Amino acid sequence: QTREKGIVTTEDLVFLLSKIQLNSNSKREFDFEEIKAKGLKVFIEEIEGEILKLALSKNEDKVRKTLSDLKISNNSYYRILEKIKIQENQHA
């Protein structure tokens, strides 16, 4: 269960990922070698970004609904969004 302060822990992500299928066509497979290469922090940030994009898509880009569904704060939302932008710029 996520905490009310908008802080997502590793335990929260493990719980959420065990319940969430990222899209109807595929499940996220965890590649331990990928995790080792990136480091857990970067890997988790990428997963956060994927989940946020999925939630926004399912909620027709309605931010308040997404915040409510994911039980995150505005600060957490914008922190994840900023990291998504940084990751996308690094891959461009």
Side-chain angles (χ1 to χ4, degrees), residues 13 16-17 20 22 46-57 66 70:
L13 285 174
L16 291 171
L17 289 171
I20 294 175
L22 292 181
E46 289 176 0
I47 291 171
E48 278 183 325
E50 288 178 31
I51 292 171
L52 182 62
K53 287 191 269 188
L54 171 69
L56 283 167
S57 173
T66 298
L70 297 180

Side-chain angles (χ1 to χ4, degrees), residues 3 7 10-11 13-14 16 22 24 28 35 37 43 51 53 58-59 65-67 75-76 79 83-84 90:
R3 282 137 185 91
I7 298 170
T10 304
E11 292 81 20
L13 285 174
V14 169
L16 291 171
L22 292 181
S24 59
R28 174 83 184 199
I35 296 169
F43 188 78
I51 292 171
K53 287 191 269 188
K58 291 202 177 279
N59 290 326
K65 174 84 171 109
T66 298
L67 294 176
N75 287 342
S76 293
R79 176 188 55 81
K83 291 195 188 256
I84 290 170
Q90 287 175 348

Side-chain angles (χ1 to χ4, degrees), residues 68 71 79 91:
S68 174
K71 297 174 181 56
R79 176 188 55 81
H91 294 103

